[in-house]
Amino acid sequence: MTIELHTWNTPNGRKISVALEEMGLPYKVIPVNITKGEQMAPGFLKLSPNNKIPAILDPDGPGGKPVSIFESGAILLYLGEKTDKFLPKPLAERIPVYEWLMWQMGGFGPMPGQVHHFIALENETDRAYGLKRYMAETRRLYGVLDRRLADREFVADALSVADFAILGWAWRHPRHKVELKDFPNVERWYNALMARPATKRGMEAKLD
């Protein structure tokens, strides 16, 4: 049963392609061209009521019935539950996965996303304040991640969906104007993940 991945080539889309590859789940990409407003189409709205990519349609959901899921964090948790992979069973081990997944969803995504917005503005006056504010916060978040990875291989010790979520945004570090060498623990973690064959396939999957 092939999962439909409705997405575009963005950090949030890459989270899911990486997870699907790492979990060994068959999927097909259905591009949603957000530059043309395709995320506002009624058909996509049925899958994602917030009109945001990504969304998935799993024909083999709970009870063998089709199910659609929107919001990248919810999709990652669903896929982890479905496959029993990258989402530990013991609650004590699952807590840091939840923490670092929510850290990404609430901070290391929205803040770099603002950098993406302001850096694209042509008017220097419009750009200056936003870039100063959001670049500083983005670097702070890289620092938080770097400290977390100082004494562990992955953010929740074992590789988990939280790593896939964060990787989707760390992948855009050149666009954030962040040099990973400034955050050596993040750089080591990033390179280790990118060297994984399944992660590499997920990062190279054509999403647009």
Side-chain angles (χ1 to χ4, degrees):
M1 302 289 276
T2 300
I3 291 173
E4 293 181 3
L5 171 57
H6 298 251
T7 193
W8 196 241
N9 186 26
T10 71
N12 287 334
R14 288 293 166 196
K15 297 177 193 178
I16 310 306
S17 60
V18 166
L20 288 165
E21 291 285 355
E22 286 281 359
M23 293 172 183
L25 289 169
Y27 69 100
K28 65 177 179 180
V29 174
I30 299 180
V32 179
N33 190 336
I34 60 176
T35 69
K36 295 182 178 179
E38 291 179 0
Q39 72 275 21
M40 307 305 291
F44 184 67
L45 178 62
K46 292 179 180 178
L47 299 178
S48 179
N50 197 32
N51 295 113
K52 301 287 186 181
I53 58 95
I56 67 167
L57 177 63
D58 183 359
D60 185 26
K65 297 179 180 179
V67 64
S68 62
I69 303 105
F70 73 103
E71 286 294 331
S72 59
I75 294 169
L76 288 171
L77 291 174
Y78 168 77
L79 294 175
E81 293 276 4
K82 177 183 176 72
T83 60
D84 283 328
K85 294 179 179 179
F86 307 109
L87 189 63
K89 287 289 188 184
L91 182 57
E93 296 176 22
R94 191 178 287 221
I95 287 170
V97 177
Y98 289 157
E99 289 176 327
W100 287 93
L101 178 58
M102 297 310 130
W103 175 84
Q104 185 280 304
M105 297 293 294
F108 196 71
M111 295 302 106
Q114 292 297 321
V115 173
H116 295 181
H117 171 78
F118 282 99
I119 209 166
L121 297 181
E122 293 183 4
N123 185 293
E124 182 59 32
T125 302
D126 292 341
R127 294 175 72 226
Y129 171 74
L131 283 178
K132 181 179 179 181
R133 173 181 172 83
Y134 291 111
M135 279 184 167
E137 177 62 6
T138 294
R139 289 190 67 85
R140 187 191 72 81
L141 290 165
Y142 273 96
V144 171
L145 181 60
D146 197 66
R147 291 191 296 275
R148 175 65 179 179
L149 291 167
D151 59 354
R152 51 180 48 83
E153 188 174 5
F154 302 109
V155 293
D157 295 314
L159 182 62
S160 73
V161 294
D163 294 285
F164 305 152
I166 297 166
L167 181 67
W169 283 91
W171 166 60
R172 284 289 178 88
H173 65 272
R175 193 168 177 181
H176 307 158
K177 303 297 184 185
V178 169
E179 295 284 348
L180 289 188
K181 62 179 173 45
D182 295 341
F183 304 95
N185 300 314
V186 175
E187 183 177 43
R188 182 263 308 156
W189 165 88
Y190 181 86
N191 289 337
L193 277 174
M194 289 301 227
R196 295 175 63 86
T199 293
K200 188 173 187 291
R201 291 195 300 271
M203 282 296 181
E204 293 176 350
K206 184 170 176 54
L207 303 187
D208 53 16

